[in-house]
Amino acid sequence: MTALDDKINERFPGLVVRKDLVNAVKGNAIVPSYVLEFLLGQYCATNDESSIQSGIETVKEILRKHYVHRNEAGLIRSNIREKGRWKVIDKISVDLNTDKDAYEATFANLGIKKVIIDSDTVKAHPKLLVSGVWCIADVEYEHSEDKNVEPWILGSIKPIQLSKFDYEAFLGARAGFTTDEWIDLLFQTVGFDPEMFGRRSKLLQLMRLVPFVERNYNLIELGPKGTGKSHIFSEFSPHGILISGGEVTVPKLFVNNSSGKIGLVGYWDVVAFDEFAGRQKRVDKALVDIMKNYMANKSFSRGVETLGAEASMVFVGNTKHNVPYMLKHTDLFEELPEKYYDSAFIDRLHTYVPGWEIDVIRGEMFASGYGFVVDYLAEILRHMRNNDYSNRYQALFTLSSDISTRDRDGVNKTFSGMMKLLFPADNATEAEVEEILHLAVEGRKRVKDQLLRIDSTYPETDFSFTARDGRKVVVKTLEQAEYPQYYNKRAPTHDEPVPEGVKEGGDGPVLGGVKKSAETNGGLVGASEGHKVFSENQKGVTYADLFWPWLKGATNIVITDPYIRMFHQVRNLMEFIEMIAVRKAPEDEVAVRLVTRPDEVSSEKQHANLVAVESACTAAGIKFSWEFDGTNTIHARHIVSDTGWKISLDRGLDIYQKFEMNDAFSLANRLQAYRPVKAFEVTYLKTNGPLT
């Protein structure tokens, strides 16, 4: 176990579970993760390996005996008849039979209906009346000669969710974690390995939890397939429901005016629409109109009566095109169904999570460490919906007066939700508050900037905030920094149509939608002194653009980097040499010397890798050599050459996030421009001194 896993078990004993156990026990049981973790939390909430293995076998046995597979429903019904009573795990829904004035339960997998359930149970668990709840239930069988009497009797029922928790103990335990540790704990809780993702990627994925902790929060995430957009909303919490976008009707979502029955928004904390995107999808305009009113005013009408609800709305869907294509030709909402492609609907979204920044999920990305039993965290998040942290930045930062009330609401709700997730005790530092506020402003700006493309009546907005010391922070979206030549497209006004034949955007070839510009390169053009700052998840960054203009013509290059030890670091070095090899003249020879520190753990492997680099360089006319720093004191990373330039690198050559290096068909493996980078900075200095 890692040191973090030890701390998690120490601070939250009995409330955490090893996340890889879910797949170990799931088998072919088609149940949400929170159902399995509820059981694992009963028997495997420990770090003792023997107890875990024993608990796994117990949970497997419970599932084997009591989870109802639909193809074995007849066998379970027979068990109930023969034994008189049997415990089952099934999804149970309840309807009111007005003819009998009685509530009747339906078991989804067991296939039995009209099971009488008492009204007190229904009142205690009203979600039984809407879409159903996973439960552990005792079902009895008692045959009657009366054909109007069903033989099935509900002995007891227990919805699968935590019955109680200690919020003050939760806050006390949170105090024992650093911010990075807490982010990693939450990230492991949702099922992913934090070592595989950068900080921004983690925060973007944790934004998916904001609807669970913030009332009436409207979030959209569009992006490529396979990035886990819908996972949290289907597997994470018993208080959220994921429905297909095509299955939605006004009665199902809001209210049935004929029966008066309230829909999903009256019972669930989060209603998420899966597969929401698709221009050709048929949508009821009346539903969209009611949705817009609900998203803006938190209310809907039942006849002449106005009803309120607290459900947050989430819309997730896939995009067909990459970001630069959308920015050049349409906008980032191009895949919305036609009836939803409406500025009034879009303006009611509080944030837009950029799904294209989140990697397609691969097997090695899943967590094997400890995280909260999800129903425990789900209850904590639900409890925190009562709190409001939206003003917690106001003593430190002031939003631009240019930001409208609706924009400000979007920023405030996102900020409040992220603060509750990361700093439930309200103890963030000024720098941490700024980071969360920046993310909140960016999410709303992404919505508003696309509205400027769709509707010419929306004004330009200065999305910025000012610190106490007068420092102004201008917020840009990452795609704005990456593709400035396409980003600032605006909707034509009625009196200023776009002339025919005018080509919008840049005027050169674009590699995979990645085109360089002065802005992308920190304002530097050619080999000149200056400073470049790159944001996490930014793409289109290559060694050739970073280094070659300053190294062109060099015959002697010295790389100082104490961290050329592990395989991926040596591979980075090899790609740097490859950049030189394909750009220098074939007849030229270049000497490249590396100054690094020895790997105290795997020195033989480090030496063998460097020998392999040296051997490969010979055929390209590159004389590679290396030396280990005997003082063991070097820390700064830089590149100097006899062209008179020094390039200072805060991360050295290790600028790229992890990618699948064994996948021969991955563009990220073959081309640097397709890899997201870590946050890093580069400084270029003109020198006339020796190569040191």
Side-chain angles (χ1 to χ4, degrees):
M1 289 201 308
T2 65
L4 176 59
D5 285 335
D6 285 333
K7 181 182 283 191
I8 292 170
N9 276 278
E10 177 188 344
R11 298 281 177 171
F12 291 100
L15 298 170
V16 295
V17 68
R18 217 176 70 202
K19 288 297 169 171
D20 58 336
L21 300 183
V22 174
N23 289 329
V25 302
K26 187 165 189 175
N28 61 349
I30 306 173
V31 295
S33 294
Y34 68 81
V35 174
L36 297 175
E37 291 199 17
F38 177 86
L39 296 172
L40 288 169
Q42 309 290 311
Y43 301 100
C44 300
T46 175
N47 59 353
D48 179 70
E49 188 61 33
S50 61
S51 297
I52 288 174
Q53 292 306 317
S54 174
I56 289 174
E57 294 308 313
T58 300
V59 172
K60 284 183 176 179
E61 181 67 11
I62 290 172
L63 289 173
R64 186 187 67 79
K65 290 178 64 176
H66 303 295
Y67 169 72
V68 181
H69 293 271
R70 285 182 179 173
N71 58 351
E72 297 177 354
L75 176 61
I76 299 297
R77 291 196 296 268
S78 175
N79 285 341
I80 299 171
R81 178 184 181 278
E82 297 302 322
K83 297 181 181 298
R85 183 185 184 97
W86 195 260
K87 192 182 296 292
V88 300
I89 299 174
D90 202 350
K91 189 174 185 181
I92 301 174
S93 57
V94 172
D95 280 306
L96 174 63
N97 185 328
T98 54
D99 293 334
K100 296 181 179 180
D101 190 28
Y103 290 106
E104 297 176 340
T106 298
F107 288 66
N109 291 351
L110 188 57
I112 61 176
K113 302 178 180 179
K114 299 182 179 179
V115 182
I116 299 299
I117 181 172
D118 66 277
S119 59
D120 288 341
T121 300
V122 176
K123 290 176 183 177
H125 308 288
K127 286 181 187 173
L128 289 166
L129 292 164
V130 186
S131 298
V133 176
W134 281 94
C135 302
I136 300 174
D138 283 310
V139 182
E140 302 173 6
Y141 184 89
E142 186 176 309
H143 180 69
S144 171
E145 297 296 332
D146 187 347
K147 294 182 179 180
N148 294 320
V149 176
E150 292 291 326
W152 309 106
I153 300 170
L154 186 61
S156 66
I157 183 171
K158 180 182 179 182
I160 293 179
Q161 62 188 71
L162 199 69
S163 59
K164 61 181 180 179
F165 63 91
D166 186 337
Y167 184 63
E168 293 304 318
F170 169 80
L171 293 180
R174 162 64 182 96
F177 293 83
T178 66
T179 301
D180 286 335
E181 287 174 339
W182 187 251
I183 289 172
D184 287 353
L185 168 52
L186 292 176
F187 207 64
Q188 287 184 173
T189 297
V190 298
F192 296 116
D193 182 357
E195 294 299 316
M196 298 297 296
F197 298 84
R199 185 180 177 94
R200 176 177 168 88
S201 291
K202 294 178 205 176
L203 292 178
L204 288 176
Q205 294 189 63
L206 290 179
M207 284 180 71
R208 295 167 174 169
L209 296 179
V210 173
F212 291 99
V213 79
E214 192 72 18
R215 292 180 178 134
N216 299 105
Y217 183 71
N218 308 320
L219 176 148
I220 191 167
E221 179 179 349
L222 302 176
K225 295 179 181 178
T227 57
K229 292 184 290 293
S230 60
H231 168 77
I232 281 179
F233 306 107
S234 63
E235 301 281 332
F236 178 75
S237 171
H239 304 304
I241 185 170
L242 181 72
I243 57 177
S244 170
E247 295 178 355
V248 186
T249 62
V250 172
K252 182 173 183 178
L253 188 59
F254 293 106
V255 64
N256 186 322
N257 281 327
S258 60
S259 67
K261 184 177 179 180
I262 304 299
L264 298 174
V265 297
Y267 295 93
W268 298 89
D269 290 350
V270 179
V271 178
F273 296 75
D274 195 16
E275 303 296 341
F276 183 68
R279 292 290 291 174
Q280 305 306 317
K281 286 188 175 180
R282 298 179 62 183
V283 178
D284 181 2
K285 187 177 184 302
L287 172 66
V288 179
D289 290 340
I290 296 173
M291 179 92 74
K292 287 189 290 188
N293 181 66
Y294 174 75
M295 291 168 68
N297 303 315
K298 311 171 190 175
S299 63
F300 55 95
S301 297
R302 178 171 63 182
V304 296
E305 182 183 9
T306 299
L307 302 173
E310 298 178 353
S312 294
M313 309 297 282
V314 175
F315 309 92
V316 295
N318 299 325
T319 52
K320 288 184 178 179
H321 302 111
N322 64 17
V323 172
Y325 181 97
M326 290 188 284
L327 291 177
K328 181 177 181 179
H329 298 287
T330 53
D331 55 75
L332 299 179
F333 287 105
E334 68 166 13
E335 286 301 319
L336 292 192
E338 186 177 354
K339 294 286 196 306
Y340 285 105
Y341 190 76
D342 168 35
S343 59
F345 169 77
I346 293 171
D347 198 16
R348 285 157 169 76
L349 297 169
H350 294 126
T351 199
Y352 187 149
V353 176
W356 50 85
E357 285 194 44
I358 298 169
D359 245 348
V360 173
I361 303 303
R362 307 186 301 272
E364 67 270 19
M365 292 179 174
F366 292 110
S368 59
Y370 282 79
F372 290 118
V373 177
V374 290
D375 61 309
Y376 168 71
L377 183 60
E379 295 305 318
I380 293 290
L381 299 187
R382 189 177 207 214
H383 176 81
M384 289 195 290
R385 286 169 75 89
N386 297 318
N387 303 335
D388 180 11
Y389 286 14
S390 61
N391 64 350
R392 296 302 198 268
Y393 66 85
Q394 293 176 4
L396 302 172
F397 302 98
T398 304
L399 292 180
S400 165
S401 59
D402 204 30
I403 296 177
S404 69
T405 299
R406 181 164 284 173
D407 293 334
R408 198 173 295 260
D409 286 344
V411 171
N412 288 345
K413 290 183 76 68
T414 303
F415 177 83
S416 176
M418 291 299 289
M419 279 290 289
K420 285 186 273 189
L421 284 171
L422 302 183
F423 306 101
D426 190 21
N427 58 346
T429 66
E430 183 169 345
E432 289 166 340
V433 170
E434 180 175 346
E435 179 182 29
I436 295 176
L437 182 59
H438 193 287
L439 198 65
V441 174
E442 180 190 340
R444 177 57 191 178
K445 174 179 166 61
R446 185 171 289 109
V447 173
K448 194 63 172 287
D449 285 353
Q450 301 313 300
L451 282 171
L452 295 177
R453 293 166 159 255
I454 296 169
D455 189 334
S456 62
T457 64
Y458 282 89
E460 296 273 358
T461 302
D462 172 24
F463 280 95
S464 67
F465 55 88
T466 305
R468 289 182 297 178
D469 59 5
R471 174 176 54 91
K472 183 177 181 180
V473 180
V474 178
V475 177
K476 291 186 177 182
T477 66
L478 183 57
E479 58 271 18
Q480 182 178 9
E482 286 184 306
Y483 314 111
Q485 70 275 28
Y486 303 138
Y487 192 83
N488 295 314
K489 179 180 176 182
R490 296 293 177 259
T493 59
H494 294 296
D495 54 342
E496 293 181 352
V498 176
E500 290 188 18
V502 171
K503 182 179 180 182
E504 300 180 23
D507 57 355
V510 178
L511 174 60
V514 178
K515 182 176 178 180
K516 301 297 170 295
S517 70
E519 183 174 345
T520 305
N521 288 329
L524 305 181
V525 180
S528 57
E529 288 193 306
H531 186 70
K532 297 183 183 182
V533 178
F534 295 87
S535 301
E536 184 182 326
N537 287 353
Q538 191 167 331
K539 293 183 180 179
V541 182
T542 68
Y543 285 172
D545 294 317
L546 286 176
F547 305 130
W548 185 246
W550 292 265
L551 298 178
K552 185 176 181 180
T555 59
N556 199 349
I557 299 170
V558 177
I559 305 168
T560 301
D561 188 336
Y563 302 106
I564 305 295
R565 305 175 185 177
M566 302 174 69
F567 174 80
H568 77 276
Q569 295 166 335
V570 180
R571 174 180 161 134
N572 290 336
L573 171 66
M574 191 64 202
E575 290 191 346
F576 176 86
I577 291 171
E578 178 185 298
M579 178 266 299
I580 298 171
V582 299
R583 283 167 177 78
K584 75 175 186 64
E587 65 275 13
D588 291 345
E589 287 193 342
V590 178
V592 177
R593 185 166 97 255
L594 169 68
V595 181
T596 189
R597 288 162 64 176
D599 187 341
E600 297 177 357
V601 178
S602 303
S603 59
E604 291 183 4
K605 185 175 292 185
Q606 180 190 28
H607 183 269
N609 287 335
L610 292 175
V611 168
V613 173
E614 179 184 21
S615 176
C617 288
T618 304
I622 296 175
K623 296 180 178 180
F624 175 72
S625 61
W626 74 91
E627 64 180 87
F628 293 125
D629 173 51
T631 65
N632 207 32
T633 58
I634 61 169
H635 297 286
R637 289 174 266 194
H638 52 259
I639 301 170
V640 294
S641 74
D642 56 5
T643 59
W645 287 102
K646 179 177 181 178
I647 306 172
S648 294
L649 310 157
D650 69 338
R651 283 191 176 274
L653 298 176
D654 193 14
I655 63 173
Y656 297 109
Q657 296 182 32
K658 289 184 179 181
F659 59 93
E660 180 50 69
M661 290 191 290
N662 296 321
D663 185 356
F665 303 102
S666 166
L667 286 174
N669 186 20
R670 307 181 69 87
L671 296 171
Q672 292 178 337
Y674 287 90
R675 301 173 193 167
V677 300
K678 305 171 184 176
F680 73 99
E681 301 181 13
V682 184
T683 303
Y684 303 89
L685 301 170
K686 188 69 175 176
T687 66
N688 295 312
L691 300 183
T692 57

